[in-house]
Amino acid sequence: MTTAAVPDGQRGDEDDRGGLRTALGGLTTRGRSFLAAGVAAAACAYVLGQADLLRVGLLLATLPLICVLVLHRTRYRVAASRRLTPQRVEAGSEARVQLRMENVSKLPTGLLMLQDHVPYMLGPRPRFVLDRVEAGGRREVSYRVRSDLRGRFPLGPLQLRLNDPFGMCELTRSFNAYDTLTVVPRTEALPPVKLVGEASGYGDGHQRSLALAGDDDIIPRAYRHGDDLRRVHWRSTARYGELMVRREEQPQRARCTVLLDTRRIAYQGSGPDSAFEWAVSGAASALVHMLERGYAVRLVTDTGTSVPGEGTEGFAGSAQDSAESAGLMMDTLAVVDHSDGGGLSRASDLLRGGDEGLLVAFVGDLDEEQAALTARMRNRTGAAVAFVLDSGAWLTGGAVAGAVENRVRQLREAGWTALAVPPAAKLADLWQQAAGVRAESAADTYGGWS
């Protein structure tokens, strides 16, 4: 929630003159017309010697100037707050914005008009009219925003428009606070299936405790308040120069790496129904599904970016911070865009071999070189599943081309569970289908679906 206040006009002489010029600049079309008519009538009265016409001209010219002066001297002090619920929504879902206005001055306000700045992707700009607000009074209004496109969208600043009763002058005062709405990709509920060959102790996200026996297996850590002093490891304390304690057991969680190919050359078309947006939504769905099953998960892109960047070797930490890790990865996917890179070598470098767990890849068009590079990634993971998109087929709505089928066959020969993604496919159906596809490679598989 953000809060801001419009000043009440406690100005010095210089600010007062500047505010008066601003007020004169706020004359409406009606006010300018009255002023011009009054000046013209006064000039005609002077030339013709008509005193009555002069009085009419002075009245017409004076009325808008009086309104400007009154509005300029208005001492409103109004505080505003905005509450956005929720601050992170899926594409196609609505968020509610609640505005609260409070008159913190000792005088009642006149007619107030509110307008909140909203990007056009979220809908029309909301406008509200508030009647007289008593001293210390509050008013609350709300509106809803919705976007079919993912991204981060600023809400605000809120503008307060003041009008005189005759509509001669209008002043706009802006608050300086704003909020940000994050629209994340749509996610799809995935079935709880397992990959053939899953090793014992890793499915369903169960943790395995490794009993560490002997001094050689002890992993010391820094002393924390409340630790048992009998667990102090004096050899490590002397080595590091600070109090260290023994860690008796280390929980190990099943791991999953989700690889998203964002290369511009790998996708054709744009918009919510494009192949690239399907890949982004698929990666989001896989991340959420694996985190819900208790896996330590990370997101990797072709640019070499790994999210989260902290924790055990870049993976999400303990189960307690899964929600925070999920939010961080979803925020990344909310703004991810095409990269200018031509290959997947940086992503391949992040897979260090043997301890990556399950690899789930969403890739676009692959040439022969990139297909071979992707195939080699299988040797660095416990199990690997690839969803290969033919962006040309997505663009035209036609059948998957033979080139993509050849790439899928090449990945399967390397040990991947690879599937070609037809246009408008449902990830849940492909996820279920992948569980029944046996990789032709006899590689050691210790990670799995859950």
Side-chain angles (χ1 to χ4, degrees):
M1 182 175 67
T2 57
T3 305
V6 172
D8 65 347
Q10 302 298 325
R11 316 169 178 90
D13 292 339
E14 183 176 351
D15 292 339
D16 192 70
R17 290 193 296 269
L20 185 58
R21 286 193 295 269
T22 302
L24 286 172
L27 281 172
T28 62
T29 301
R30 180 185 299 177
R32 295 176 188 274
S33 300
F34 268 68
L35 184 60
V39 172
C44 292
Y46 178 77
V47 173
L48 301 177
Q50 297 291 329
D52 292 338
L53 182 59
L54 178 61
R55 283 191 289 270
V56 172
L58 291 177
L59 176 62
L60 292 177
T62 303
L63 181 58
L65 295 179
I66 293 176
C67 292
V68 167
L69 185 61
V70 171
L71 200 60
H72 167 65
R73 290 296 181 182
T74 299
R75 300 302 198 223
Y76 294 158
R77 293 191 68 238
V78 181
S81 64
R82 181 191 297 105
R83 183 184 298 275
L84 177 60
T85 310
Q87 294 185 338
R88 182 189 294 116
V89 297
E90 284 192 6
S93 300
E94 289 187 343
R96 184 170 181 264
V97 183
Q98 184 176 2
L99 302 175
R100 172 181 291 183
M101 303 294 299
E102 181 178 1
N103 182 14
V104 296
S105 65
K106 297 181 180 179
L107 297 175
T109 70
L111 189 68
L112 301 179
M113 290 187 292
L114 304 179
Q115 175 178 280
D116 208 6
H117 282 261
V118 174
Y120 72 92
M121 290 82 70
L122 302 182
R125 289 184 177 179
R127 295 179 174 89
F128 305 95
V129 178
L130 301 181
D131 279 332
R132 177 179 179 274
V133 181
E134 66 278 5
R138 295 180 180 179
R139 297 290 186 274
E140 291 187 359
V141 293
S142 63
Y143 63 94
R144 295 185 180 275
V145 291
R146 178 182 181 273
S147 174
D148 291 326
L149 301 176
R150 56 185 177 82
R152 292 172 64 86
F153 304 101
L155 301 178
L158 181 66
Q159 286 187 337
L160 177 65
R161 299 167 63 185
L162 308 176
N163 290 78
D164 67 275
F166 300 102
M168 299 289 181
C169 184
E170 178 181 282
L171 292 182
T172 300
R173 299 178 180 177
S174 296
F175 297 87
N176 55 9
Y178 67 93
D179 287 278
T180 300
L181 173 67
T182 302
V183 181
V184 301
R186 291 185 178 94
T187 58
E188 188 176 347
L190 303 180
V193 296
K194 293 184 179 181
L195 190 66
V196 175
E198 179 182 1
S200 175
Y202 281 85
D204 298 322
H206 291 310
Q207 294 184 354
R208 183 177 65 178
S209 296
L210 302 179
L212 303 177
D215 271 358
D216 293 338
D217 292 330
I218 290 177
I219 302 178
R221 61 168 174 81
Y223 174 83
R224 299 171 186 168
H225 180 71
D227 284 340
D228 190 347
L229 291 178
R230 291 175 295 181
R231 295 175 55 196
V232 173
H233 191 250
W234 297 108
R235 183 182 301 175
S236 298
T237 299
R239 178 180 178 182
Y240 293 104
E242 60 177 323
L243 204 59
M244 308 291 289
V245 297
R246 293 188 303 273
R247 181 160 26 189
E248 301 297 344
E249 60 181 20
Q250 181 182 10
Q252 179 172 327
R253 301 173 66 201
R255 295 177 174 180
C256 175
T257 298
V258 177
L259 170 62
L260 176 63
D261 179 11
T262 66
R263 296 172 298 140
R264 189 181 304 276
I265 62 175
Y267 298 95
Q268 302 179 46
S270 60
D273 297 326
S274 65
F276 179 67
E277 290 301 324
W278 190 96
V280 174
S281 296
S285 301
L287 288 170
V288 171
H289 177 75
M290 302 310 291
L291 281 171
E292 288 176 349
R293 310 309 296 182
Y295 276 68
V297 181
R298 69 171 174 173
L299 171 67
V300 173
T301 67
D302 60 288
T303 61
T305 302
S306 178
V307 182
E310 301 178 356
T312 305
E313 299 181 0
F315 286 84
S318 62
Q320 286 76 13
D321 61 10
S322 291
E324 181 179 350
S325 300
L328 180 61
M329 288 184 282
M330 294 299 283
D331 287 347
T332 301
L333 290 176
V335 297
V336 69
D337 201 356
H338 290 292
S339 69
D340 296 327
L344 300 170
S345 58
R346 293 184 179 178
S348 178
D349 293 340
L350 288 178
L351 306 178
R352 288 180 289 271
D355 59 350
E356 301 301 323
L358 172 66
L359 173 62
V360 182
F362 295 84
V363 296
D365 299 332
L366 298 173
D367 56 23
E368 185 175 351
E369 179 183 356
Q370 296 308 313
L373 177 61
T374 304
R376 290 195 296 271
M377 294 182 191
R378 173 63 183 86
N379 298 327
R380 305 181 182 184
T381 63
V385 182
F387 298 96
V388 185
L389 290 92
D390 181 359
S391 61
W394 278 75
L395 188 62
T396 61
V400 175
V404 176
E405 294 291 357
N406 292 335
R407 302 304 179 214
V408 169
R409 187 180 303 109
Q410 183 178 355
L411 293 179
R412 288 183 178 179
E413 291 174 353
W416 285 79
T417 300
L419 294 173
V421 181
K426 296 292 185 181
L427 179 60
D429 297 336
L430 295 175
W431 196 267
Q432 183 74 48
Q433 183 181 350
V437 176
R438 293 176 178 268
E440 297 179 6
S441 165
D444 245 350
T445 304
Y446 65 83
W449 299 88
S450 175

